[in-house]
Amino acid sequence: MNGPLTSSDIAREAGVSQATVSRVLNGSDRVAPGTRDRVLAVIERHGYAPSALARGLVTNRSQLIGVIVADITNPFYPEFIEAIGESLAARELRMLFYNGGLGDEEAYVRLLLEHRVEGIIFTSALRSSQAVRRLVDERFPLVLTNRSVDGADCDVVVGDNPAGAQAAAQHLLDLGHRRIGLITGHAEASTSVERAAAFATRLEAAGVELPAHLVRDAAFDQAAARRVAVEMLTGPDQPTALMCVNDVMAFGALNAARSLGLRVPEDVSVMGFDDIPMAGWEAFRLTTVRQPLAEMARASVRLLSERIAERGRPAQRLVYPSDLIVRDTTAVPAPDRRAAEARR
Amino acid sequence: MNGPLTSSDIAREAGVSQATVSRVLNGSDRVAPGTRDRVLAVIERHGYAPSALARGLVTNRSQLIGVIVADITNPFYPEFIEAIGESLAARELRMLFYNGGLGDEEAYVRLLLEHRVEGIIFTSALRSSQAVRRLVDERFPLVLTNRSVDGADCDVVVGDNPAGAQAAAQHLLDLGHRRIGLITGHAEASTSVERAAAFATRLEAAGVELPAHLVRDAAFDQAAARRVAVEMLTGPDQPTALMCVNDVMAFGALNAARSLGLRVPEDVSVMGFDDIPMAGWEAFRLTTVRQPLAEMARASVRLLSERIAERGRPAQRLVYPSDLIVRDTTAVPAPDRRAAEARR
DNA sequence: ACGCTACATGAATGCGCATACATGCGTCAA
DNA sequence: TTGACGCATGTATGCGCATTCATGTAGCGT
């Protein structure tokens, strides 16, 4: 009576062979109804659970999917993880979860491979990720979600960052902003780079300058964004609006404004990107760009399991639309506002 | 060349036996330095990763720990998961992650057991959980974090809920509040029950009534708490303060107040419990009760791995202190709402 | 009644590894 | 020089399961 029961234990008690137990477990085979019921009864009675280790060893299918997240405390990710978890469960797949995946990706991937995961979902790969490129070269099933990696020809699920960022820029331009600060994420994150580039391009096209000191990196981090925003809002050449390439950093900017006694949007406008659920909370009411996060998460799982089933298929790149969501953190810039009020 | 390399492949190429490869992989054994280097070179060259499935089958150690969370989108959990992940990694353990564990716990646990997890961390067990009790009966290694289960004699890591809730009650009483609303979590969650009970007791001891219609359940959910708070703040017998048994619900209450145009703390005071990082954000500046979340998470992992090593040891219950953190959402009550409005 | 088929089931095998046991070699004391 | 011993390494085995092949039995037609 050491450790969990085995299929042989069940077989003995049910008076059949181990092979038969295996057959009823896997349903498909032809087993006499009476035998099946008898075996199932024994399984039920003991709460027998077949070993996924042994099964995986034989079938070469671990039922495990590795999911790598850079920072689960960043409120962007939980939504994703939730949706991924649901999709995985629906496909009889379990999640081997790794948080902090930015550091030594190599080590993480190694561990995942030891456990013979059938595939990996990277939610926060860096553009230059060696680990990702190597896996792609080996045709190991993986999908990049919300990010892409330079030169890696693999399945990718992203939002339409350029369109979203341009819409954001246009929104601020339309309001009349001409001095705009941009808070970017990690310089190695495609998401940040794409959004920042498109935003800058749109501004440039409208003849609005985006000086270097108004473009700051905050690595997708709330606290860092808060610091950077404080600096921009107290430094020279203060912006009338702050664009952040994700919502979490926009919360940081909002916190910064509040800590400085500035009103949003009266004194500064703030924009985010992603439209995570918190962005809609009364505490924020953040103007942002919506991405269909849950849908993107589901698509990632779908793509991954399709690739597992068919390794040779051509890589797909799914691009989801981005929609401008105007809430309460953006308005006409302050000077104009005064003028407008005076005009009345 | 199907599937990953095996130790036999490595052995063949290194000119040794499979057993020797296994020996160098597991370090300990006496292997000639020259042989070891040769084998390691081959392993390195091919990026060979030994199968955790096969190893687990032999050693009966999967290196997997199941972690069950009720709702990862609840900002309380990511902190926990992060800390748990780090502790697990430090012990060469991986996280098999399950979100949504409140629903069919039975099914989840079954899956975890199939994968032969060495232990399970429940972060959101319900008081009456059958699944937990059964596991405890079977002496399966598990620890309950932030929750306890009635009649389950197992390792538990919790904050000092009674002390924290009493401190919260005392704080509101000291400020002069006499009509206080209480928003509770899931009625089956020990955390909620303990906090609510201690809070009520303290009020009662001070001769302050806590009428039934001012005690509402919001299941630890932000949106539900928001709804309930709106009802209490617009209904009859409006409270001057709202105590929420966790921070996330306090955010809901804050959102409710804001949506009603009520100022916090001038018109209503709001308190939470947990002191998750967001509670300190300028957007909230929530008065709350701090629990050492990361420490509790680490202790959970420690307890679990100790129990895995020694199944027979007596169950431990670790109680961590709770500290009142006074920030900006609590103040002396407005004499009454009308007076407050008249003043404006 | 006989032989044949279809089907239910058992026996045997191997997945990749750790480990107990066996072997062969060098070393050292006598 | 010899036998005993220790060390490095090889051989054999089994973990729990899926699966292939072998076997026996019932059911069928003629």
Side-chain angles (χ1 to χ4, degrees):
Chain A
M1 174 66 263
N2 300 321
L5 293 176
T6 72
S7 55
S8 301
D9 295 330
I10 301 299
R12 193 174 320 118
E13 181 155 341
V16 298
S17 73
Q18 179 268 325
T20 297
V21 173
S22 178
R23 287 192 186 99
V24 350
L25 280 175
N26 296 297
S28 46
D29 268 300
R30 297 84 49 97
V31 180
T35 309
R36 157 169 290 123
D37 292 347
R38 193 151 31 96
V39 171
L40 285 178
V42 177
I43 287 176
E44 187 67 22
R45 173 147 29 98
H46 291 80
Y48 164 72
S51 165
L53 300 178
R55 182 198 301 145
L57 190 58
V58 177
T59 61
N60 218 12
R61 298 206 44 214
S62 63
Q63 295 181 275
L64 257 28
I65 298 294
V67 176
I68 299 186
V69 165
D71 177 14
I72 187 67
T73 67
N74 177 328
F76 169 79
Y77 290 109
E79 305 299 319
F80 244 99
I81 296 304
E82 177 179 53
I84 287 176
E86 286 169 4
S87 296
L88 249 26
R91 292 168 194 269
E92 297 284 280
L93 260 16
R94 338 287 179 215
M95 188 191 308
L96 205 46
F97 178 78
Y98 267 97
N99 180 55
L102 239 51
D104 31 28
E105 238 176 8
E106 302 283 342
Y108 281 32
V109 167
R110 162 70 63 108
L111 295 182
L112 258 21
L113 293 181
E114 285 195 0
H115 282 271
R116 297 297 185 260
V117 294
E118 298 182 33
I120 300 182
I121 296 180
F122 286 85
T123 66
S124 28
L126 298 184
R127 284 200 300 162
S128 60
S129 171
Q130 264 313 125
V132 167
R133 272 199 291 259
R134 185 167 322 142
L135 287 172
V136 171
D137 286 348
E138 293 171 5
R139 321 198 74 169
F140 185 87
L142 66 83
V143 5
L144 267 29
T145 300
N146 199 41
R147 297 278 181 91
S148 56
V149 168
D150 294 344
D153 182 39
C154 60
D155 294 323
V156 172
V157 177
V158 290
D160 191 341
N161 293 316
Q166 288 190 25
Q170 192 59 54
H171 173 62
L172 292 177
L173 288 170
D174 289 347
L175 287 171
H177 293 274
R178 292 297 177 266
R179 213 162 52 253
I180 301 176
L182 176 60
I183 302 184
T184 64
H186 200 293
E188 280 287 296
S190 65
T191 310
S192 173
V193 173
E194 290 176 17
R195 292 174 187 176
F199 187 83
T201 301
R202 188 72 205 79
L203 253 42
E204 201 174 324
V208 171
E209 227 186 320
L210 186 58
H213 66 281
L214 288 187
V215 178
R216 303 289 300 274
D217 185 331
F220 291 129
D221 179 66
Q222 187 271 340
R226 185 186 177 288
R227 282 193 299 274
V228 164
V230 165
E231 288 177 26
M232 286 202 272
L233 292 174
T234 56
D237 197 22
Q238 298 169 3
T240 61
L242 250 25
M243 168 67 193
C244 306
V245 300
N246 79 353
D247 286 348
V248 174
M249 294 195 295
F251 297 152
L254 252 22
N255 287 336
R258 216 173 297 236
S259 76
L260 295 171
L262 295 174
R263 293 164 304 166
V264 176
E266 291 84 351
D267 300 322
V268 221
S269 286
V270 172
M271 282 198 74
F273 205 117
D274 284 338
D275 195 33
I276 64 178
M278 275 175 54
W281 289 10
E282 274 84 358
F284 304 110
R285 299 278 317 149
L286 182 70
T287 294
T288 185
V289 177
R290 174 171 298 166
Q291 302 209 99
L293 301 182
E295 216 174 315
M296 289 166 65
R298 284 191 291 273
S300 304
V301 172
R302 181 169 52 74
L303 243 45
L304 185 59
S305 58
E306 287 174 8
R307 175 155 303 279
I308 289 171
E310 185 192 350
R311 293 212 178 196
R313 75 207 289 259
Q316 290 194 34
R317 182 184 178 87
L318 263 38
V319 180
Y320 282 79
S322 303
D323 298 313
L324 180 68
I325 305 289
V326 178
R327 281 197 278 248
D328 305 346
T329 58
T330 48
V332 170
D336 300 15
R337 176 176 298 275
R338 266 191 220 112
E341 277 166 3
R343 229 179 286 129
R344 256 196 252 152
Chain B
M1 174 65 274
N2 300 321
L5 294 177
T6 72
S7 56
S8 301
D9 296 330
I10 300 299
R12 193 174 320 115
E13 180 156 342
V16 297
S17 72
Q18 178 268 325
T20 297
V21 173
S22 178
R23 287 190 187 102
V24 350
L25 279 175
N26 296 296
S28 48
D29 267 302
R30 297 83 49 94
V31 179
T35 309
R36 156 168 290 123
D37 293 346
R38 195 152 29 96
V39 172
L40 285 177
V42 177
I43 287 175
E44 187 66 21
R45 172 147 28 98
H46 290 80
Y48 163 72
S51 164
L53 299 179
R55 182 197 300 145
L57 190 57
V58 177
T59 62
N60 216 11
R61 299 207 41 216
S62 63
Q63 297 180 275
L64 258 26
I65 297 294
V67 176
I68 299 186
V69 166
D71 177 13
I72 187 67
T73 67
N74 177 329
F76 170 80
Y77 289 111
E79 304 299 320
F80 244 100
I81 295 304
E82 178 179 52
I84 286 175
E86 287 170 2
S87 296
L88 248 28
R91 293 167 194 268
E92 297 284 280
L93 262 14
R94 339 284 179 217
M95 189 191 307
L96 205 47
F97 178 79
Y98 267 97
N99 180 55
L102 239 50
D104 32 28
E105 238 177 7
E106 302 282 342
Y108 281 32
V109 167
R110 162 69 65 109
L111 294 182
L112 258 19
L113 292 181
E114 285 195 1
H115 282 272
R116 297 297 185 259
V117 294
E118 299 183 31
I120 301 182
I121 295 180
F122 286 86
T123 66
S124 27
L126 298 185
R127 285 201 299 163
S128 59
S129 170
Q130 264 312 127
V132 167
R133 271 201 290 259
R134 184 169 323 142
L135 288 172
V136 171
D137 286 347
E138 294 171 5
R139 320 198 75 170
F140 186 86
L142 66 82
V143 3
L144 267 31
T145 300
N146 200 42
R147 298 278 181 91
S148 55
V149 168
D150 295 343
D153 181 40
C154 62
D155 294 322
V156 172
V157 177
V158 289
D160 191 339
N161 292 317
Q166 289 190 23
Q170 191 60 54
H171 173 62
L172 292 178
L173 288 170
D174 289 348
L175 287 172
H177 292 275
R178 293 296 178 268
R179 213 161 55 251
I180 302 176
L182 176 60
I183 302 184
T184 64
H186 200 294
E188 279 287 296
S190 66
T191 310
S192 174
V193 173
E194 289 175 16
R195 292 174 187 175
F199 187 83
T201 300
R202 187 73 203 79
L203 253 43
E204 200 175 323
V208 171
E209 228 185 318
L210 187 57
H213 67 281
L214 288 188
V215 179
R216 303 288 302 273
D217 185 330
F220 292 128
D221 179 66
Q222 187 271 340
R226 184 186 177 288
R227 282 194 300 275
V228 163
V230 165
E231 289 178 25
M232 288 203 271
L233 293 174
T234 55
D237 196 23
Q238 298 168 2
T240 61
L242 251 26
M243 168 68 194
C244 306
V245 301
N246 80 352
D247 285 349
V248 174
M249 293 195 297
F251 297 152
L254 251 23
N255 287 336
R258 216 173 297 236
S259 76
L260 295 171
L262 296 174
R263 293 165 305 166
V264 175
E266 292 83 350
D267 299 324
V268 222
S269 286
V270 172
M271 282 197 74
F273 205 118
D274 286 337
D275 196 33
I276 64 177
M278 276 174 55
W281 288 12
E282 274 83 358
F284 304 109
R285 299 279 315 149
L286 182 70
T287 294
T288 185
V289 176
R290 173 171 299 165
Q291 301 209 99
L293 301 182
E295 216 173 315
M296 288 166 66
R298 283 191 292 272
S300 305
V301 172
R302 182 168 52 73
L303 242 46
L304 184 59
S305 58
E306 286 174 7
R307 174 157 302 282
I308 289 170
E310 184 192 350
R311 293 212 178 196
R313 75 207 288 261
Q316 290 192 34
R317 183 185 177 86
L318 263 37
V319 181
Y320 282 79
S322 303
D323 299 312
L324 180 68
I325 305 289
V326 178
R327 282 196 278 249
D328 305 346
T329 58
T330 48
V332 171
D336 77 48
R337 186 65 40 73
R338 279 221 194 100
E341 275 164 9
R343 228 181 293 124
R344 275 201 223 141

